[in-house]
Each structure stands twice: as structure tokens, then as C-alpha cells.
């Protein structure tokens, strides 16, 4: 048994040391930590990556997954995020198929089980990192450090920074990447077996399998490619038994500006999230972390602390006379640093500066270093029970934090509100709270948060979605002047923001600024050529201006781009009906119903046209079908009554007039028609008498 394990003898009970029991404990603890998230909703990025992702549905050919990004857009598109994770999307698709739709429980359960499986595998990974590769004569690998590997695996299993990956379904990309990353590493270890007689021999099969698993990890998330770097370090240190320090790569100081200082500060924040994962946030952008603008900023001390610790660890890893210590520290640092490299903004820019999900794999390296530190501390401490109590306290607090944080990830309202205390300056946090309230119909509260988001946007004016959404709410509340100001500012800040241009056009149309509205719509279409909703609104503008041909053309464009655009079809039918083009209106209506056969509003519009064309029987059938689909629509009953009135079925007309007035007693047209019918029925009764 290794020296490190002897130092931890009083902390880990010997009853937990057999591999089966160790893995069982780790697996159960990891599941308990995140079990509260099993019945959570689709939150935050889940909506775009899962609910709105057509790649999950059977209509999309499986082959398209290899040509689309993580969000379902074509990789060749200018709007693509370029995140290529086809295997992760494939698991979402399987989840969707097995669940019979977008039922989040199945998606959450897979994530929780994945974390449990990875945590169990970490027992083997840590046993290799701490104890190296030693085999029995029968070829079975020995675990020389069972206590250290169990403690490190427990620390990994209960780390709260994993909550985003486990409780957020989109985090499956990180979980799958970690799973195949670990399997690739263990496969590489399997390729080498040490024996006194034969030395080290390589198995080509296991090396090739390790490379294949690394490729699979990369197809789950780009970070998976870094397993090759970790395997290389492992090969040099453990297989090659290198004892002399390698050439240390010098940090290039090409840019000594404040930007470099800020990136170093972000690294220290990531390190702090591993050390003290109490302040967690779903999004760290948009002013959440104020920039360091002066060397006198006290946060410079965080940079100094980070590099002091790193340099100290690197020196120990390279220069220590203890080869066992050198190997553990080097592999621990490798696991900490190498998987983090794609997200460090050092080689290329990524879309974030701090993100909890990218710390899933690096946290394994942190657990190695922390366990080694506890072993060293225990070796020199007199009060060993105190050390044991501290470790148990950390495990308990982390488990508690995991449970609390998992609960916050169950729905968007809790998730977004939990971020307000962590990142009060983040415009996106206020925006998401406001959007969540607006979606629930609480516009008054939503406006307050949108205004806060806009206020912070003025400090960091790259995030204009809050201006757009606040402008939309103000538009709906008929506060048009302020809505126009906000939307104008949004397109001024981001001139290619097509949605804001369209919404500005809607407001300008309401303000009777018709030329400006047309120009706004045209600008929106210029920046987003396939924009059916904008063509629809442009058609409404032309209809208001009595430019009927232009209106019909705009609505036709909307239906070409989006064949299921019910509003555009309806407006074409109604406009043709109102202008007396009944034959053309009927043709358009029939075309629309072929594409959207279950749309009751289209049935209603076409039924009106057929009634005017005296095709009463067919009109009646469509009216009744529309009423069956939407029985509480007063206008449906009212217009069916008019049809019966014309047709001479007066008792049926009376029945549906009465149903219509019961549903909407204020309908003046229906009241008038009902009055005419009653007088006619009274006259008929008098004649009969």
C-alpha cells in the first residue's frame, strides 16, 4: 500500500476499501447529490438545443446530424455556432423517441446516471494516477492507493460545480465527453502491463481503442480531443518513467496589456469555483465580472495567488526528489489544465470567459491535488481526527450544496432568480428573469426586470435583446413612443438585428409612420432573407395602405418560406374575399387547407367564402368542423347562423345565433341578425295563424 494511503488510514474505513464497495458508495453518493433534478423542466439553453431542435424529430434524416451543429443549424450557415457534437444530439434524439416526445424526466435521468457512471469510473482513474500501473502475475492491475482513490472519487462525485452539467440537460455534452475521455484514458492504461520479466509491452488493440474512444469523446464535445495530450503525459511519466524535468514551456508574454490581466483573472475565478463552489451562476457574461481597468485593482491579488500556487505545484512536480510525488502532481496538474485548454481563450476565442460546465473534467485534477494535499497535511498533523472531520465536513457541505443547486435548476424561474444575488450586474440575468415573467403573463413585473437589463446594457451595450423584448411589451401596452425609442436604440447598437427591425416596423406602423415602417421591414428582410413573419407584417402594412397586390405578394412570400404560416394564409383569403375575388379566395383557401388540414381558422375563412358563393352544403361542413375543433368561438357559431339564415334553415340559424350570443353577448352584428331572424319568425307565425 502506498505512502499516501497510509497517511489517510484514519480517514477512510477499511470496510470501504474493496473495489465493489468503494464504487458502490461513490455511485450512490453521486446519485443522491443530484437526484432532486430528475423531475426538472427544460431550462435555459435546453429550449434551443432540444425543444426547438428539429434534429431530434423523426422527420429529420439521421444523416443530417453529421452536417448540423449542436443547435440544429447547418454548419455551413453564417449563423451556425460551429459547435460540432453529433453524438450528443443523437442521444437527445433517442431520448425523444423513447420518451414519446419532449418529456424532460427521461432526459434528466440519463444525465444523473451518466454522472454516477463517470464517478464510479473515477475510482479506477484515481487509482492509476495515485498508484501507477502495477500488475499481478495473472495480469490483474493492483490498486495500491485504495483510500486515496476513494476519497478523490468522492470529492469528484459531490462537487457542486458539476450541477450545471448534470441538472442542465444541455450539459450532457460535457458528461458524454467526460465518459469517453475517461474510457479512452483507461483503455490507454490497459495497453501497458508491467512485469519484472518482460518489462513494458504494448497492446495495439488497446491503443487503437483508446484513440477511437478519444474520437468519440470529441464528437460529443470538442474538449474530448485533449485526452490525447493527457495520454501523452501519462506515457512519458508512467510508462517511460522519466525522472529528469522536461523543458518547461515558457509563457509567451506577447500582450502585457490589461486584456491579458483580465484573462488571468478569469482563470483565478475558475480556480475559485473549484475551491469554493458556493457562488454558482448559469451565466457569467454581460458585466457579471467587471473588467480590471487598473493595476491598482485589489483583484490583482487573485492573479498573484493563482500563479503562486501553480508555480509552486509545477516546481514540486518537476523538481521533487520523490518520483512518486512528481508523478501524482504532474498527472493531477495535467488533468486540471489540459482539458481546460480549449476554453482558456489562449489559442482561440471562445464564446465565454467563465463557465461551470467546462470544469467537469478539470475538477478531476483538482480532486487529485486536494487528496494529495490532505494526505500531506495528515502526515504532519498531530490531530488527525480534526483532519478527518474537515474532510467529512467538506463532503457533507458539497453534497448539501449539490442538492440545493439541483433544486434551483428544476425550473427557469428558480434558476434565473438564483443568479440575481451572484451576478447583479449581468444584463442577461435580468433579461431572463423578465422574459420568464413575461411568458407567464406578468408583464408589469417583467417590465421592471427588462428596464434593469436595459440599464446594464447601456454599460455593456452588446446585449440588445432586453431592449427588443421590453419594446415588444411596451408595444402591446400601447406605450408606442418609448417602444420606438428602445427599438431604434437596439438597431443602432446592432444594425443587423433583424427581429428588432421588424418590431420597430410594427411600432412605426401603429404610429402611422408608414414609410418608415416599410423601410424597417425591408431592412429586417435584408439582414434575414428567410423571414416569413416579417413578410407577414409587411403584408399587413400594404393592406392598411390599400396596396392589395403588394399585400398578397408579401403574404405569398411568407407562405413560401413557411408553408404552415396560418396567419398569412388567412389574411390572403380574407383580403380576396373582401375585394370580391371569391374564386381566387376559394382556391387559396383550399391550397392552405391541404397544407394545414387541422387549422380551424382556415376552415372558418374558407367556409365564409363558400357560403357567399352559395355552396351551402360544403360551407356548412367546414363550419361544423371548425366548431368541433374550437367550440367556444362565438364568431364561428354566428357566421354559421348567417349561413343557415341565407339558406333558409331558420331554426338552425336561431340555435346558433343564441349560442353565439351566449358566448359573446356584446357582438352587435350577431344581435342585429338575430333580431331580424326573430322578426321574420314572428311574421311567419302570424301568417300560419
Amino acid at each position: 500500500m502506498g505512502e499516501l494511503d497510509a497517511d489517510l488510514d484514519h480517514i477512510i474505513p477499511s470496510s470501504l476499501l474493496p473495489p465493489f464497495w468503494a464504487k458502490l458508495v461513490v455511485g450512490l453518493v453521486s446519485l443522491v447529490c443530484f437526484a432532486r433534478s430528475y423531475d426538472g423542466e427544460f431550462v435555459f439553453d435546453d429550449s434551443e438545443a432540444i425543444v426547438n431542435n428539429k434534429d431530434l424529430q423523426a422527420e429529420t434524416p439521421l444523416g443530417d446530424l453529421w452536417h448540423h451543429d449542436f443547435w440544429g443549424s447547418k454548419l455551413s450557415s453564417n449563423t451556425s455556432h460551429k459547435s460540432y457534437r453529433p453524438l450528443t444530439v443523437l442521444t437527445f434524439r433517442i431520448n425523444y423517441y423513447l420518451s414519446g416526445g419532449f418529456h424532460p424526466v427521461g432526459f434528466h435521468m440519463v444525465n444523473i446516471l451518466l454522472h454516477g457512471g463517470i464517478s464510479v469510473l473515477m475510482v479506477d482513474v484515481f487509482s492509476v494516477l495515485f498508484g501507477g500501473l502495477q500488475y499481478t502475475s495473472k495480469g490483474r492491475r493492483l490498486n495500491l492507493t485504495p483510500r486515496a482513490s476513494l476519497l478523490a472519487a468522492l470529492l469528484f462525485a459531490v462537487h457542486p460545480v458539476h450541477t450545471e452539467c448534470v441538472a442542465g440537460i444541455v450539459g450532457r455534452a460535457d458528461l458524454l465527453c467526460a465518459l469517453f475521455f475517461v474510457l479512452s484514458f483507461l483503455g490507454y492504461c490497459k495497453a501497458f502491463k508491467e512485469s519484472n520479466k518482460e518489462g513494458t509491452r504494448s497492446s495495439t488493440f488497446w491503443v487503437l481503442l483508446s484513440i477511437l474512444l478519444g474520437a468519440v469523446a470529441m464528437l460529443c464535445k470538442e474538449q474530448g480531443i485533449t485526452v490525447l495530450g493527457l495520454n501523452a503525459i501519462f506515457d512519458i511519466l508512467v510508462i517511460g518513467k522519466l525522472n529528469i524535468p522536461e523543458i518547461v514551456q515558457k509563457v509567451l508574454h506577447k500582450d502585457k496589456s490589461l486584456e491579458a490581466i483580465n484573462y488571468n483573472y478569469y482563470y483565478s475565478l475558475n480556480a475559485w469555483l473549484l475551491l469554493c463552489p458556493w457562488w454558482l451562476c448559469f451565466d457569467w457574461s454581460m458585466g457579471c465580472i467587471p473588467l480590471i481597468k487598473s493595476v491598482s485593482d485589489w483583484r490583482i491579488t487573485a492573479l498573484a495567488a493563482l500563479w503562486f500556487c501553480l508555480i509552486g505545484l509545477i516546481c514540486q512536480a518537476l523538481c521533487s526528489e520523490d518520483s512518486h510525488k512528481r508523478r501524482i502532481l504532474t498527472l493531477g496538474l495535467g488533468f486540471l489544465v489540459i482539458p481546460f485548454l480549449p476554453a482558456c481563450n489562449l489559442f482561440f476565442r471562445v464564446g465565454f470567459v467563465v463557465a461551470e460546465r467546462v470544469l467537469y473534467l478539470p475538477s478531476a485534477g483538482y480532486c487529485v491535488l486536494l487528496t494529495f494535499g490532505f494526505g500531506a497535511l495528515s502526515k504532519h498533523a498531530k490531530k488527525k481526527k480534526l483532519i478527518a472531520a474537515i474532510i467529512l465536513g467538506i463532503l457533507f457541505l458539497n453534497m448539501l450544496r449539490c442538492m440545493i443547486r439541483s433544486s434551483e435548476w428544476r425550473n427557469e424561474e428558480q434558476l434565473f432568480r438564483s443568479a440575481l444575488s451572484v451576478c447583479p450586474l449581468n444584463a442577461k440575468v435580468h433579461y431572463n428573469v423578465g422574459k420568464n415573467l413575461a411568458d407567464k403573463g406578468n408583464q408589469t413585473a417583467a417590465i421592471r426586470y427588462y428596464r434593469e437589463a436595459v440599464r446594464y446594457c447601456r454599460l455593456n451595450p452588446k446585449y440588445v435583446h432586453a431592449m427588443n423584448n421590453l419594446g415588444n411589451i411596451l408595444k402591446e401596452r400601447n406605450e408606442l413612443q418609448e417602444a420606438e425609442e428602445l427599438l431604434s436604440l437596439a438597431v443602432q447598437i446592432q444594425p443587423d438585428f433583424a427581429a428588432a427591425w421588424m418590431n420597430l416596423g410594427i411600432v412605426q406602423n401603429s404610429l402611422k409612420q408608414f414609410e418608415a415602417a416599410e423601410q424597417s421591414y425591408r431592412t429586417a428582410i435584408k439582414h434575414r432573407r428567410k423571414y416569413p413573419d416579417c413578410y407577414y407584417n409587411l403584408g399587413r402594412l400594404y393592406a392598411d395602405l390599400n396596396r392589395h397586390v403588394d399585400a398578397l405578394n408579401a403574404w405569398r412570400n411568407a407562405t413560401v418560406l413557411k408553408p404552415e404560416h396560418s396567419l398569412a394564409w388567412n389574411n390572403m383569403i380574407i383580403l380576396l374575399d373582401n375585394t370580391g375575388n371569391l374564386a381566387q379566395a376559394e382556391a387559396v383557401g383550399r391550397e392552405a387547407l391541404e397544407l394545414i388540414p387541422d387549422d380551424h381558422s382556415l376552415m372558418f375563412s374558407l367556409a365564409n367564402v363558400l357560403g357567399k358563393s352559395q355552396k351551402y352544403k360544403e360551407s356548412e361542413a367546414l363550419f361544423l368542423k371548425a366548431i368541433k375543433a374550437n367550440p367556444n368561438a362565438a364568431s364561428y357559431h354566428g357566421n354559421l347562423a348567417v349561413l343557415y339564415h341565407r339558406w333558409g334553415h331558420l331554426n338552425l340559424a336561431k340555435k346558433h345565433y343564441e349560442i353565439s350570443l351566449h358566448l359573446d353577448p356584446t357582438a352587435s352584428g350577431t344581435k342585429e341578425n338575430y333580431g331580424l331572424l326573430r322578426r321574420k319568425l314572428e311574421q311567419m307565425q302570424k301568417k300560419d295563424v
Side-chain angles (χ1 to χ4, degrees), residues 299-315:
R299 290 174 294 170
I300 294 288
T301 56
L303 280 68
L306 171 69
W307 285 106
F308 177 79
C309 293
L310 278 178
I311 291 171
L313 287 169
I314 291 170
C315 289

Side-chain angles (χ1 to χ4, degrees), residues 13-52:
S14 58
S15 59
L16 296 179
L17 297 184
F20 172 79
W21 290 107
K23 292 178 180 180
L24 181 64
V25 169
V26 170
L28 288 175
V29 168
S30 66
L31 296 178
V32 168
C33 283
F34 300 101
R36 294 191 69 183
S37 66
Y38 88 96
D39 60 347
E41 302 170 0
F42 293 113
V43 299
F44 197 39
D45 287 339
D46 295 344
S47 298
E48 289 301 316
I50 299 171
V51 179
N52 298 330

Side-chain angles (χ1 to χ4, degrees), residues 93-109:
R93 182 163 174 153
I94 295 171
N95 249 142
Y96 174 82
Y97 174 76
L98 295 177
S99 302
F102 292 112
H103 305 295
V105 172
F107 289 83
H108 281 294
M109 289 301 296

Side-chain angles (χ1 to χ4, degrees), residues 383-403:
K383 297 181 179 180
K384 299 186 183 297
K385 290 185 177 179
L386 178 61
I387 305 298
I390 291 172
I391 292 174
L392 290 174
I394 290 173
L395 290 172
F396 174 77
L397 288 175
N398 278 2
M399 284 185 68
L400 181 64
R401 180 60 178 136
C402 285
M403 294 176 184

Side-chain angles (χ1 to χ4, degrees), residues 34 115 155-167 359-360 363:
F34 300 101
H115 175 65
L155 289 168
F156 176 87
V158 304
H159 204 298
V161 83
H162 299 159
T163 311
E164 181 176 354
C165 291
V166 183
L359 296 176
Y360 192 86
S363 67

Side-chain angles (χ1 to χ4, degrees), residues 88-124:
T88 302
V89 178
L90 180 61
T91 67
F92 290 152
R93 182 163 174 153
I94 295 171
N95 249 142
Y96 174 82
Y97 174 76
L98 295 177
S99 302
F102 292 112
H103 305 295
V105 172
F107 289 83
H108 281 294
M109 289 301 296
V110 171
N111 275 28
I112 295 170
L113 292 173
L114 278 171
H115 175 65
I118 294 164
S119 299
V120 168
L121 287 172
M122 281 297 177
V123 177
D124 291 328

Side-chain angles (χ1 to χ4, degrees), residues 570 573 589 593 596-610 618-619 621-629 636:
N570 249 317
I573 298 167
L593 276 177
I596 324 173
D598 298 324
D599 193 303
H600 55 80
S601 62
L602 290 175
M603 298 174 197
F604 173 70
S605 298
L606 180 55
N608 286 327
V609 173
L610 293 171
E618 192 176 0
S619 176
L622 280 173
F623 272 128
L624 291 174
K625 195 174 179 182
I627 287 171
K628 184 178 180 181
Y636 290 11

Side-chain angles (χ1 to χ4, degrees), residues 545-566:
L545 296 173
N546 293 321
R547 293 167 58 179
H548 295 158
V549 174
D550 290 334
L552 290 170
N553 287 335
W555 289 328
R556 176 57 72 176
N557 284 333
T559 59
V560 168
L561 293 171
K562 186 179 179 182
E564 68 275 14
H565 203 303
S566 174

